[in-house]
Amino acid sequence: QVQLQESGPGLVKPSQTLSLTCDVSGASISSGAYYWSWIRQVPGKGLEWIGYMFYSGSAYYNPSLESRLIISLDASNNRFSLKLRSVTAADTAVYFCARAGQKEINFDSWGQGTLVTVSS
Amino acid sequence: DIQMTQSPSSLSASVGDRVTITCRASQSISSFLNWYQQKPGKAPKLLIYAASTLQSGVPSRFSGGESGAEFTLTISSLQPEDFATYYCQQSYRMPLTFGQGTKVEIK
């Protein structure tokens, strides 16, 4: 059974870079069957897709975040990462990592989520 | 971007009730529609994909339907563990987008 676990700082200062990692167990991110994804949720609000990466290195980003965003894979450690630069208070959210199937692009496995607060 | 609009935004229902939530896309998305359940403090859980296919392990009281650009999630007999917020998500075109959510509360 696949498990995903987010990690990273819970507090980031405005204008700095938000960096999160998702450790994957029970499945290989190099298997080629899934997109490895990030989704966020402002507390009390809805879900926003951030982007995902395929094992080949192809990445798909939400245009609303694309200019500030990098998603990368680390196959040797079976993990993937998110970097969002120049953050503001509007980036305060719970960040989830998730796995998406290639065909229907549905998120069938999720991490528990980690709250990142942007504040000085 | 494809806008996903859910209705109602919230509803109150009793255990045993039949509940239907609607999700409408701003353009045709074929059957590229998924439904999730989220409980407070937890990650969303995939319930239905491709509009009507039940995810493995999800109780059969959940079902999905579609009619044109309108999709429905139906809970045939609401159980205590079903009180949660439900989201639809389209995967027809990038960027992937979610509905705003429907909160199902206890009457």
Side-chain angles (χ1 to χ4, degrees):
Chain A
Q1 181 179 348
V2 62
Q3 292 188 317
L4 298 91
Q5 177 68 58
E6 305 89 350
S7 60
L11 180 65
V12 181
K13 288 182 168 49
S15 79
Q16 294 192 342
T17 297
L18 182 161
S19 297
L20 295 173
T21 295
C22 182
D23 288 292
V24 180
S25 58
S28 171
I29 64 172
S30 302
S31 69
Y34 297 97
Y35 295 116
W36 301 97
S37 316
W38 290 97
I39 295 155
R40 69 181 183 179
Q41 184 173 37
V42 173
K45 302 296 183 183
L47 298 160
E48 179 182 29
W49 173 70
I50 297 171
Y52 59 54
M53 176 161 268
F54 194 50
Y55 82 104
S56 63
S58 298
Y60 300 84
Y61 297 158
N62 193 320
S64 66
L65 298 168
E66 186 169 14
S67 64
R68 301 190 288 131
L69 182 62
I70 296 175
I71 296 175
S72 58
L73 299 186
D74 177 358
S76 60
N77 290 299
N78 214 40
R79 59 171 54 158
F80 59 105
S81 299
L82 163 75
K83 290 188 186 299
L84 184 65
R85 59 183 181 81
S86 304
V87 296
T88 70
D91 295 308
T92 293
V94 176
Y95 286 77
F96 295 99
C97 58
R99 183 182 79 170
Q102 278 191 67
K103 188 177 179 185
E104 286 87 16
I105 316 184
N106 53 66
F107 301 102
D108 67 350
S109 298
W110 297 66
Q112 64 187 22
T114 187
L115 175 63
V116 179
T117 301
V118 178
S119 174
S120 55
Chain B
D1 298 4
I2 297 176
Q3 305 301 317
M4 306 301 293
T5 304
Q6 289 182 232
S7 60
S9 296
S10 64
L11 65 89
S12 296
S14 300
V15 172
D17 284 353
R18 180 181 182 89
V19 169
T20 297
I21 298 167
T22 298
C23 178
R24 183 173 286 109
S26 60
Q27 64 185 80
S28 175
I29 58 170
S30 187
S31 298
F32 290 89
L33 190 285
N34 308 306
W35 288 99
Y36 301 84
Q37 175 194 67
Q38 186 179 33
K39 296 181 179 179
K42 300 294 186 182
K45 172 187 174 184
L46 177 65
L47 297 176
I48 286 171
Y49 62 93
S52 60
T53 302
L54 202 64
Q55 173 71 347
S56 176
V58 174
S60 59
R61 63 181 180 273
F62 291 92
S63 63
E66 64 177 300
S67 176
E70 185 170 289
F71 299 85
T72 55
L73 173 68
T74 298
I75 309 172
S76 61
S77 178
L78 199 64
Q79 297 302 300
E81 60 268 31
D82 301 336
F83 292 95
T85 300
Y86 295 84
Y87 294 93
C88 61
Q89 173 240 329
Q90 66 82 19
S91 57
Y92 181 74
R93 181 167 293 156
M94 298 297 158
L96 305 178
T97 48
F98 292 85
Q100 81 279 14
T102 295
K103 187 173 184 178
V104 177
E105 299 177 299
I106 301 173
K107 181 182 282 186

